[in-house]
Coordinates of all heavy atoms in Angstrom, one line a residue:
A1 N -7.5 14.6 0.3 CA -8.4 13.7 -0.3 C -7.9 12.9 -1.5 O -8.0 11.7 -1.6 CB -9.7 14.4 -0.7
T2 N -7.0 13.6 -2.2 CA -6.3 13.0 -3.3 C -5.3 12.0 -2.9 O -5.3 10.9 -3.4 CB -5.6 14.1 -4.1 OG1 -6.5 15.0 -4.7 CG2 -4.8 13.4 -5.3
A3 N -4.6 12.3 -1.8 CA -3.5 11.3 -1.3 C -4.2 10.2 -0.7 O -3.8 9.1 -0.8 CB -2.8 12.1 -0.2
L4 N -5.4 10.5 0.1 CA -6.3 9.3 0.6 C -6.7 8.4 -0.5 O -6.8 7.3 -0.4 CB -7.3 9.9 1.5 CG -8.2 8.9 2.2 CD1 -7.3 8.1 3.3 CD2 -9.3 9.6 2.9
G5 N -7.2 9.1 -1.6 CA -7.6 8.4 -2.7 C -6.7 7.3 -3.4 O -7.0 6.3 -3.8
V6 N -5.3 7.6 -3.3 CA -4.3 6.7 -3.7 C -4.4 5.4 -2.8 O -4.4 4.2 -3.4 CB -2.9 7.3 -3.6 CG1 -1.9 6.3 -3.9 CG2 -2.7 8.6 -4.5
F7 N -4.5 5.5 -1.5 CA -4.6 4.4 -0.7 C -5.9 3.6 -1.0 O -5.8 2.4 -1.0 CB -4.5 4.7 0.8 CG -3.2 5.2 1.2 CD1 -2.9 6.5 1.5 CD2 -2.2 4.2 1.4 CE1 -1.7 7.0 1.9 CE2 -0.8 4.6 1.9 CZ -0.7 6.0 2.1
I8 N -7.0 4.3 -1.1 CA -8.2 3.7 -1.3 C -8.2 2.9 -2.7 O -8.7 1.7 -2.7 CB -9.4 4.6 -1.2 CG1 -9.5 5.3 0.2 CG2 -10.7 4.1 -1.7 CD1 -10.5 6.4 0.3
L9 N -7.7 3.5 -3.7 CA -7.7 2.8 -4.9 C -6.9 1.8 -5.1 O -7.1 0.7 -5.7 CB -7.4 3.8 -6.1 CG -8.6 4.9 -6.4 CD1 -8.1 5.9 -7.4 CD2 -9.8 4.1 -6.8
R10 N -5.7 1.8 -4.3 CA -4.8 0.7 -4.3 C -5.3 -0.5 -3.5 O -5.1 -1.6 -3.9 CB -3.4 1.1 -3.6 CG -2.6 2.1 -4.4 CD -1.5 1.5 -5.0 NE -0.8 2.5 -5.9 CZ 0.5 2.9 -5.8 NH1 1.3 2.3 -4.9 NH2 1.0 3.7 -6.7
K11 N -6.2 -0.2 -2.6 CA -6.8 -1.2 -1.9 C -7.9 -1.9 -2.6 O -8.1 -3.1 -2.7 CB -7.4 -0.7 -0.5 CG -8.2 -1.6 0.4 CD -7.2 -2.4 1.3 CE -8.1 -3.2 2.3 NZ -7.3 -4.4 2.8
K12 N -8.9 -1.0 -3.3 CA -10.0 -1.6 -4.0 C -9.7 -2.1 -5.4 O -10.3 -3.0 -5.8 CB -11.1 -0.4 -4.1 CG -11.7 0.0 -2.9 CD -12.8 1.0 -3.3 CE -13.7 1.3 -2.0 NZ -14.9 2.1 -2.4
M13 N -8.6 -1.7 -5.9 CA -8.1 -2.1 -7.3 C -6.8 -2.4 -7.3 O -5.9 -1.7 -8.0 CB -8.5 -1.0 -8.3 CG -10.1 -0.6 -8.4 SD -10.5 0.9 -9.3 CE -9.6 0.8 -10.8
P14 N -6.4 -3.5 -6.6 CA -4.8 -3.8 -6.6 C -4.1 -4.2 -8.0 O -3.0 -3.9 -8.1 CB -4.7 -4.9 -5.5 CG -6.1 -5.5 -5.6 CD -7.0 -4.4 -5.9
D15 N -4.9 -4.7 -8.8 CA -4.4 -5.1 -10.1 C -4.5 -4.2 -11.2 O -4.2 -4.5 -12.4 CB -5.1 -6.4 -10.5 CG -4.7 -7.5 -9.4 OD1 -3.6 -7.5 -8.8 OD2 -5.6 -8.4 -9.2
A16 N -5.1 -2.9 -10.9 CA -5.3 -1.9 -12.0 C -3.9 -1.4 -12.5 O -3.0 -1.4 -11.8 CB -6.0 -0.7 -11.4
P17 N -3.9 -1.1 -13.9 CA -2.6 -0.6 -14.4 C -2.2 0.6 -13.8 O -3.1 1.5 -13.5 CB -2.9 -0.5 -15.9 CG -4.4 -0.6 -16.1 CD -5.0 -1.3 -14.8
R18 N -1.0 0.9 -13.5 CA -0.5 2.1 -12.9 C 0.5 2.7 -13.8 O 1.7 2.6 -13.6 CB 0.1 1.7 -11.5 CG -0.8 0.8 -10.7 CD -0.9 1.4 -9.3 NE -1.7 0.5 -8.4 CZ -2.9 0.4 -8.4 NH1 -3.7 1.2 -9.1 NH2 -3.5 -0.5 -7.5
P19 N 0.0 3.6 -14.8 CA 1.0 4.2 -15.8 C 1.9 5.2 -14.9 O 3.0 5.6 -15.4 CB 0.1 4.8 -16.8 CG -1.3 4.9 -16.2 CD -1.3 3.9 -15.2
Y20 N 1.3 5.8 -13.9 CA 2.1 6.7 -13.0 C 2.2 6.2 -11.7 O 1.3 5.9 -11.0 CB 1.4 8.1 -13.1 CG 2.1 9.1 -12.3 CD1 3.2 9.8 -12.8 CD2 1.7 9.4 -11.0 CE1 3.8 10.7 -12.0 CE2 2.4 10.3 -10.1 CZ 3.5 11.0 -10.7 OH 4.1 11.8 -9.9
K21 N 3.4 6.1 -11.2 CA 3.8 5.6 -9.9 C 3.9 6.8 -8.9 O 4.4 7.8 -9.2 CB 5.0 4.8 -9.9 CG 5.2 3.7 -11.0 CD 4.3 2.6 -10.5 CE 4.5 1.5 -11.5 NZ 3.5 0.4 -11.4
V22 N 3.3 6.6 -7.7 CA 3.4 7.6 -6.7 C 4.7 7.5 -6.1 O 5.1 6.5 -5.6 CB 2.2 7.4 -5.7 CG1 2.5 8.4 -4.5 CG2 0.9 7.5 -6.3
W23 N 5.4 8.6 -6.1 CA 6.9 8.7 -5.6 C 6.8 8.5 -4.1 O 6.0 9.1 -3.4 CB 7.5 10.0 -6.0 CG 8.9 10.1 -5.5 CD1 10.0 9.6 -6.1 CD2 9.3 10.6 -4.3 NE1 11.1 9.9 -5.4 CE2 10.8 10.6 -4.3 CE3 8.7 11.3 -3.2 CZ2 11.6 11.0 -3.2 CZ3 9.5 11.8 -2.2 CH2 10.9 11.7 -2.2
G24 N 7.6 7.6 -3.6 CA 7.7 7.4 -2.1 C 6.4 6.8 -1.5 O 6.4 6.8 -0.2
Y25 N 5.7 6.1 -2.3 CA 4.5 5.3 -1.7 C 5.1 4.3 -0.7 O 5.9 3.6 -1.0 CB 3.8 4.7 -2.8 CG 2.4 4.0 -2.3 CD1 1.4 4.7 -2.1 CD2 2.6 2.6 -2.1 CE1 0.2 4.0 -1.6 CE2 1.4 1.9 -1.7 CZ 0.2 2.7 -1.4 OH -0.9 2.0 -0.9
P26 N 4.4 4.1 0.3 CA 3.2 4.8 1.0 C 3.6 5.9 1.9 O 2.7 6.6 2.4 CB 2.6 3.6 1.8 CG 3.8 2.8 2.2 CD 4.7 2.9 1.2
V27 N 4.9 6.3 2.1 CA 5.3 7.2 3.1 C 4.9 8.7 2.7 O 4.3 9.4 3.4 CB 6.9 7.2 3.3 CG1 7.3 8.2 4.2 CG2 7.2 5.8 3.9
V28 N 5.2 9.0 1.4 CA 4.9 10.4 1.0 C 3.4 10.6 0.9 O 3.0 11.7 1.6 CB 5.6 10.7 -0.4 CG1 5.1 12.0 -1.0 CG2 7.1 10.5 -0.3
P29 N 2.5 9.8 0.4 CA 1.1 10.1 0.5 C 0.6 10.2 2.0 O -0.2 10.9 2.3 CB 0.4 9.0 -0.2 CG 1.5 8.4 -1.1 CD 2.8 8.6 -0.4
A30 N 1.2 9.4 2.9 CA 0.8 9.4 4.3 C 1.2 10.7 4.9 O 0.4 11.4 5.6 CB 1.4 8.2 5.0
I31 N 2.4 11.2 4.5 CA 2.8 12.5 5.0 C 1.9 13.7 4.5 O 1.5 14.5 5.2 CB 4.4 12.8 4.7 CG1 5.2 11.9 5.5 CG2 4.7 14.2 5.0 CD1 6.7 11.8 4.9
V32 N 1.5 13.5 3.3 CA 0.6 14.6 2.7 C -0.7 14.6 3.4 O -1.2 15.6 3.8 CB 0.5 14.3 1.2 CG1 -0.7 15.1 0.7 CG2 1.7 14.6 0.4
I33 N -1.2 13.4 3.8 CA -2.4 13.4 4.5 C -2.3 13.9 5.9 O -3.1 14.8 6.3 CB -3.0 11.9 4.5 CG1 -3.3 11.4 3.2 CG2 -4.1 11.7 5.6 CD1 -3.6 9.9 3.1
L34 N -1.3 13.6 6.6 CA -1.0 14.2 7.9 C -0.9 15.7 7.9 O -1.4 16.4 8.7 CB 0.2 13.6 8.6 CG 0.1 12.0 8.9 CD1 1.4 11.5 9.4 CD2 -1.0 11.9 9.9
I35 N -0.1 16.1 6.9 CA 0.1 17.7 6.9 C -1.2 18.3 6.5 O -1.5 19.3 7.0 CB 1.2 18.0 5.8 CG1 2.6 17.6 6.4 CG2 1.2 19.4 5.5 CD1 3.8 17.7 5.4
S36 N -1.9 17.7 5.6 CA -3.3 18.3 5.2 C -4.3 18.3 6.4 O -4.9 19.4 6.6 CB -3.8 17.5 4.0 OG -3.1 17.6 2.9
A37 N -4.2 17.2 7.2 CA -5.2 17.2 8.3 C -4.7 18.3 9.4 O -5.6 18.9 9.9 CB -5.2 15.8 8.9
G38 N -3.3 18.3 9.5 CA -2.8 19.3 10.5 C -3.3 20.7 10.1 O -3.7 21.6 10.9
L39 N -3.1 21.1 8.9 CA -3.4 22.4 8.3 C -4.9 22.7 8.5 O -5.3 23.8 8.8 CB -2.9 22.7 7.0 CG -1.4 22.9 6.8 CD1 -0.9 22.8 5.3 CD2 -1.0 24.2 7.4

């Protein structure tokens, strides 16, 4: 849900300040979502 939230917030708030960058975006959060769904 947290990784999915990254995608949702980036879509809903594209101009929001991002003091912390997600490493490997969009690949790493997508992998986290897939692994989480698999487990």
Side-chain angles (χ1 to χ4, degrees):
T2 301
L4 183 62
V6 171
F7 288 105
I8 292 170
L9 289 174
R10 294 249 172 131
K11 177 86 171 156
K12 286 186 174 184
M13 300 167 46
D15 299 325
R18 310 228 188 277
Y20 177 80
K21 304 291 183 194
V22 176
W23 182 84
Y25 180 82
V27 175
V28 172
I31 291 170
V32 170
I33 292 169
L34 291 173
I35 290 172
S36 297
L39 286 170

